[in-house]
Amino acid sequence: MMNFLHKYASLQNFYFLSLRLSRWLVLPFVFTLVYGLIGALWIAPQDYQQGESFRIMYVHVPSAWLSMFVYMNMIGAAVFTLIWRVKLSEIVLRACAPLGAIFTFLALVTGSIWGKPMWGTWWVWDARLTSELLLLFIYFGIIALFHAIEDRRMAAKACALLTLVGAVNIPIIHYSVQWWSTLHQGPTVSKIGAPSIHLDMLIPLIVMSIAFTLYFIIMCLARIRIGIREYDKNSNWVKNLVTSTLQKGHN
Amino acid sequence: MTLFPRTVNETTSRELRKTFRNPSEIFYPLIFFVLVLTMFPFAIPPVPGLFNSIASGILWTAALLAISLSLETLFKADYRSGALEVIHLSGADLVLVGVGKSLGHWIISGLPIALLAFPIGWALDLNFLTLWVLVLTLMLGSATMSLTGASISALTVGLRGGGFLLVMLTLPFFVPLLIFGSSAATNASLGIVPEAELYFLGGMFVLSLTVAPWATAHAIRIRLG
Amino acid sequence: MSKPILEVTNISLSRAQNLVVRDLSFSVSSGEIIQLSGSNGSGKTTILRALAGLIMPDNGRVARLGEKVGNTTPSSNSVIYIGHRHGLEENLSPLENLNFLSQVSTPSPIRDGVSVLGTLGLKTSMHVLTTRLSAGQKQRVSLARLLMFDAPLWLLDEPFTALDTSSKKQLENMIDAHLDRKGAVVLATHQTFNCKSQVINYSLPVIV
């Protein structure tokens, strides 16, 4: 098992593995995206209270879920970076951070758009939105730290530590903000977690979440490949790769 | 104080001694604290009694900002002079050094700010319970800030963007302290004893005491090489 | 045959993604002194930091007394590293600086700050704030660690900087005494210096 993992933690092997994986994932991604969008925009019935505007949920919920899922990945990469000093996990960490930030931002924007017809304003200090906002700042911090340290490997280790410090703090922030918002607003109007959600509404939601996750994986692998080329730029296999790609471009 | 390990004692004494030889460093956070406070009356609508009613929140926010900014100097001098390297290579326990640094930082910035909140709050017509709760929550919260902030300070020492980067990283982590600290004071001003908030602040302090020094030690090791 | 005090095998070192050292190997046994020379950018400081355990080599292995550096926590009796910077807190006196180090180091030093500063001719400046000392005096306080702790390996980065003739002589004597005691020294310096033992010189190339 360890030999298998060790083989694929080698940057070169992982590079070509990820290329094959990305190609296989494109079709499922397109399929789930289309299926999910059809389900979201057409098949799912109009909401009893909110009419058509609830449909933004099909982008908001997957985004919010992914903003947390990406952070979970970063925690895993951080652990491998700090304890076992695996180069690949350093690259994964750096690759995930901006993607996590984008999903968080998307969750905020769609949450705000969703809120406008419900609450009348573009922004409310709702528990979820506020937590997502703070998560966005945490992502910004990690990205900023990556850019602030010149040495790539030191930056990765520093960001790994920061990610873990964040991991401890995020649940605390989440529950603090929740507590705070109950003081200020009473129970929030929350469509998700409503006890009985119609299957026709639920299935597109799940499918969209899968589509978003596949998108994240494809994008993340692309960023990881860039990172691998940077880390190994002095090695022969990367030099060969670059020259052969240039030649193909010329032809 | 044989209550603390020797390394903690020595590190804290070193911090205090070197700061008291340069006393202006003690006053900067205090002055900044009052300066931030002073901005608010200019900024908010001049509704009578409005400022006093949100005074607890403003005091807590100003304290948060002042302490966050003062974290930058925690490791800067030692990093620049190479002392941090020397200490690490001499086999000193960096975890205890981290505790000592945090304790020293709290004595220099958090504690004075917490104590200063008393007369300031009094001048703003806050009742006795509120004043005590304010001081207590600020002491507890600022201690947590010194501990958690030390790890981020060690992580960002000597980097471009220094102070801003540090504040940007620490502020999200300090939000829970702000929430419970100012809520405690606000409840106290309504005559309610803020038990839940104080328990939470105490819990956060204990958590940071057990986790932050290790993060600080790791951060130092990462940044040294 | 006892293990060499320091064994470097095929190490490569980078500074912020730039390769400065490629495939360096050497070993140092007791009583030996090695001088690293080369122009600026040849990696002398980077090598010394890797030998001290502050940075990890990209490849290869650095071992002290058989044990790989980096897996062990630092201790004051394995290596003394005198770097470019003096490592002193400006708002404290030399004695306060050294006393602090004595209290927190593991294991504890073999000599105390007062006697060491006396040996180095700093008895009168012992209680003066470090910020008021001259560069040469600060360098001598920095070198005090060599006398305070007992470690077989000395790593010295430009130790003669700012030293006047008599202080330089004193450091040369200290190095000789250390080598006589079966210690080892790796030093990086531009300056010529006198040494009773044969100095092994490695000239490092600048990698473009």
Side-chain angles (χ1 to χ4, degrees), chain A residues 2-77:
Chain A
M2 279 315 285
N3 273 334
F4 172 77
L5 283 180
H6 197 262
K7 180 165 169 244
Y8 281 106
S10 127
L11 296 182
Q12 182 176 356
N13 284 335
F14 189 87
Y15 188 91
F16 293 106
L17 174 69
S18 83
L19 267 176
R20 292 203 304 273
L21 193 60
S22 296
R23 287 187 194 126
W24 275 105
L25 288 176
V26 174
L27 219 57
F29 162 62
V30 173
F31 177 69
T32 48
L33 185 66
V34 170
Y35 185 61
L37 281 175
I38 294 176
L41 299 174
W42 201 341
I43 298 179
Q46 218 186 58
D47 179 70
Y48 162 66
Q49 278 178 312
Q50 299 177 53
E52 299 289 345
S53 65
F54 86 102
R55 296 188 192 275
I56 192 85
M57 157 181 96
Y58 291 104
V59 178
H60 172 75
V61 171
S63 302
W65 184 76
L66 225 55
S67 72
M68 284 311 303
F69 177 71
V70 170
Y71 203 89
M72 294 292 142
N73 276 312
M74 286 172 64
I75 292 173

Side-chain angles (χ1 to χ4, degrees), chain A:
Chain A
M1 169 69 166
M2 279 315 285
N3 273 334
F4 172 77
L5 283 180
H6 197 262
K7 180 165 169 244
Y8 281 106
S10 127
L11 296 182
Q12 182 176 356
N13 284 335
F14 189 87
Y15 188 91
F16 293 106
L17 174 69
S18 83
L19 267 176
R20 292 203 304 273
L21 193 60
S22 296
R23 287 187 194 126
W24 275 105
L25 288 176
V26 174
L27 219 57
F29 162 62
V30 173
F31 177 69
T32 48
L33 185 66
V34 170
Y35 185 61
L37 281 175
I38 294 176
L41 299 174
W42 201 341
I43 298 179
Q46 218 186 58
D47 179 70
Y48 162 66
Q49 278 178 312
Q50 299 177 53
E52 299 289 345
S53 65
F54 86 102
R55 296 188 192 275
I56 192 85
M57 157 181 96
Y58 291 104
V59 178
H60 172 75
V61 171
S63 302
W65 184 76
L66 225 55
S67 72
M68 284 311 303
F69 177 71
V70 170
Y71 203 89
M72 294 292 142
N73 276 312
M74 286 172 64
I75 292 173
V79 169
F80 273 86
T81 300
L82 287 179
I83 300 183
W84 292 290
R85 299 190 182 139
V86 180
K87 276 189 194 168
L88 184 59
S89 56
E90 293 178 16
I91 297 172
V92 171
L93 188 66
R94 190 165 195 152
C96 285
L99 292 171
I102 290 171
F103 284 117
T104 312
F105 181 72
L106 198 58
L108 279 171
V109 169
T110 52
S112 175
I113 293 174
W114 192 3
K116 182 75 164 81
M118 274 212 292
W119 303 312
T121 55
W122 287 112
W123 183 263
V124 281
W125 292 101
D126 165 64
R128 292 190 122 88
L129 279 181
T130 311
S131 286
E132 283 291 307
L133 184 61
L134 290 172
L135 183 62
L136 184 63
F137 287 131
I138 292 175
Y139 272 118
F140 280 164
I142 296 172
I143 295 170
L145 191 58
F146 262 120
H147 287 285
I149 299 179
E150 268 183 38
D151 184 320
R152 210 179 279 140
R153 301 210 62 188
M154 190 192 282
K157 293 200 194 96
C159 290
L161 187 64
L162 183 60
T163 304
L164 293 178
V165 172
V168 173
N169 277 286
I170 286 173
I172 299 177
I173 293 171
H174 180 82
Y175 285 112
S176 304
V177 171
Q178 207 171 59
W179 183 90
W180 160 83
S181 77
T182 58
L183 297 180
H184 288 233
Q185 287 161 36
T188 45
V189 179
S190 163
K191 196 67 210 152
I192 322 305
S196 53
I197 179 166
H198 196 283
L199 211 62
D200 274 350
M201 280 191 184
L202 183 61
I203 290 182
L205 192 59
I206 297 176
V207 173
M208 283 297 278
S209 298
I210 296 176
F212 270 56
T213 308
L214 291 174
Y215 179 76
F216 160 65
I217 295 175
I218 296 172
M219 284 294 120
C220 194
L221 288 178
R223 286 183 57 86
I224 290 174
R225 285 195 293 276
I226 295 175
I228 292 178
R229 293 201 293 273
E230 278 176 357
Y231 265 60
D232 262 1
K233 68 174 180 237
N234 291 321
S235 72
N236 286 327
W237 75 271
V238 172
K239 287 183 183 161
N240 289 336
L241 187 69
V242 172
T243 47
S244 70
T245 312
L246 285 173
Q247 277 172 351
K248 266 194 264 174
H250 276 296
N251 294 342

